[in-house]
Amino acid sequence: MSPSILVVEDEAALLTLLRYNLEKQGFTVDEATDGQEALLRIAENKPDLVLLDWMLPSLSGIEVCRQIRRRPATRDLPVIMVTARTEDADAVRALDTGADDYIAKPFAVDALLARIRALLRRAATVPDKGTLAFGDLSMDQDAHRVTRAGRALHLGPTEYRLLEHFLAHPRRVFSREQLLDAVWGRDIHVELRTVDVHIRRLRKAINGEGEADLIRTVRSAGYALDVD
Ligand code: CA
């Protein structure tokens, strides 16, 4: 399977050039032209690597990168930041927010391809994230598969990230605000009741008939992965 790359770039000419060159090298290319769209594309269809322009409309590349790192499901997603600046301070800032590498515009396509290949090689040697489990619920993070009592469950991406967060901290109670920060990212404006909607969906997805409800609602506190 050819690695997929999400190119986030608001300059149409550069986007076309990058897509052409990456596809020529056998990569599958997806694109987004602003920061919000980038986060949506990543949530819908996680790429193998993100090529992220710094200067973007709606949400800067730096902010997109922070949010990618904050979410459990994309914490390890390889990111190369494309900066229009050459100052070292900017490069440091890009790396500080969690980018794995950066390249300054204007760049030679060959140099970029070399960095992409190097980063994909590094990502491929990262040890497996493994399996999270609670009771008869199990999440294989590498295969992105969730089962309960051996039965495959089908979760949407948000429900998946919610469950991943709960599984990483079983029995701990999280407020809606904490769940928003952990799963959606601190800077996205989402109403608190959105959390309730996704908790409802998560319950529906993981609790089969006659099975114990694994999500505990703690009045005026929040939610926990727990059984009574
Ligand atoms: Ca730009």
Side-chain angles (χ1 to χ4, degrees), residues 51-114:
L51 188 61
L52 181 61
D53 189 25
W54 177 310
M55 303 291 279
L56 289 169
S58 88
L59 206 59
S60 74
I62 290 276
E63 203 39 57
V64 172
C65 189
R66 277 203 194 105
Q67 298 201 20
I68 287 172
R69 286 296 170 260
R70 208 172 283 149
R71 296 172 183 183
T74 55
R75 198 158 281 160
D76 301 325
L77 179 59
V79 175
I80 296 179
M81 187 84 83
V82 179
T83 73
R85 320 158 179 221
T86 47
E87 292 89 17
D88 285 345
D90 289 329
V92 169
R93 213 178 139 212
L95 296 176
D96 273 351
T97 58
D100 298 282
D101 199 359
Y102 69 93
I103 188 163
K105 283 181 185 173
F107 51 79
V109 171
D110 282 349
L112 175 66
L113 289 171

Side-chain angles (χ1 to χ4, degrees):
M1 227 169 58
S2 59
S4 58
I5 299 183
L6 174 66
V7 181
V8 189
E9 174 58 66
D10 57 318
E11 287 168 54
L14 184 52
L15 190 54
T16 305
L17 176 83
L18 288 171
R19 174 185 275 281
Y20 171 79
N21 280 287
L22 290 168
E23 283 179 346
K24 208 167 82 179
Q25 297 295 316
F27 294 111
T28 302
V29 177
D30 194 3
E31 57 187 49
T33 54
D34 68 53
Q36 297 284 7
E37 191 191 357
L39 290 173
L40 279 173
R41 298 300 302 136
I42 290 166
E44 281 167 2
N45 193 8
K46 190 173 149 192
D48 294 309
L49 183 145
V50 181
L51 188 61
L52 181 61
D53 189 25
W54 177 310
M55 303 291 279
L56 289 169
S58 88
L59 206 59
S60 74
I62 290 276
E63 203 39 57
V64 172
C65 189
R66 277 203 194 105
Q67 298 201 20
I68 287 172
R69 286 296 170 260
R70 208 172 283 149
R71 296 172 183 183
T74 55
R75 198 158 281 160
D76 301 325
L77 179 59
V79 175
I80 296 179
M81 187 84 83
V82 179
T83 73
R85 320 158 179 221
T86 47
E87 292 89 17
D88 285 345
D90 289 329
V92 169
R93 213 178 139 212
L95 296 176
D96 273 351
T97 58
D100 298 282
D101 199 359
Y102 69 93
I103 188 163
K105 283 181 185 173
F107 51 79
V109 171
D110 282 349
L112 175 66
L113 289 171
R115 277 162 188 263
I116 289 174
R117 283 195 208 96
L119 181 53
L120 284 172
R121 266 198 307 274
R122 285 209 299 278
T125 56
V126 165
D128 289 353
K129 281 171 76 183
T131 301
L132 296 170
F134 180 80
D136 54 2
L137 193 65
S138 165
M139 172 182 279
D140 178 339
Q141 292 174 291
D142 298 302
H144 245 250
R145 248 200 305 271
V146 182
T147 58
R148 179 157 186 193
R151 177 182 87 254
L153 304 180
H154 303 285
L155 306 183
T158 303
E159 286 73 54
Y160 183 94
R161 290 200 304 274
L162 261 176
L163 183 59
E164 192 174 40
H165 185 67
F166 280 129
L167 281 167
H169 315 274
R171 295 200 169 83
R172 201 167 121 190
V173 179
F174 291 99
S175 68
R176 292 173 177 80
E177 287 89 348
Q178 287 172 325
L179 291 172
L180 274 183
D181 284 354
V183 174
W184 281 262
R186 193 159 307 197
D187 304 289
I188 280 198
H189 178 74
V190 183
E191 288 183 61
L192 286 180
R193 63 163 185 248
T194 306
V195 176
D196 302 327
V197 172
H198 287 281
I199 289 282
R200 223 166 23 241
R201 285 191 203 159
L202 179 59
R203 275 201 166 109
K204 213 174 146 188
I206 66 174
N207 298 329
E209 252 193 86
E211 286 176 334
D213 183 1
L214 295 180
I215 306 290
R216 188 158 71 93
T217 304
V218 185
R219 265 182 67 185
S220 73
Y223 299 102
L225 181 68
D226 206 348
V227 271
D228 288 324

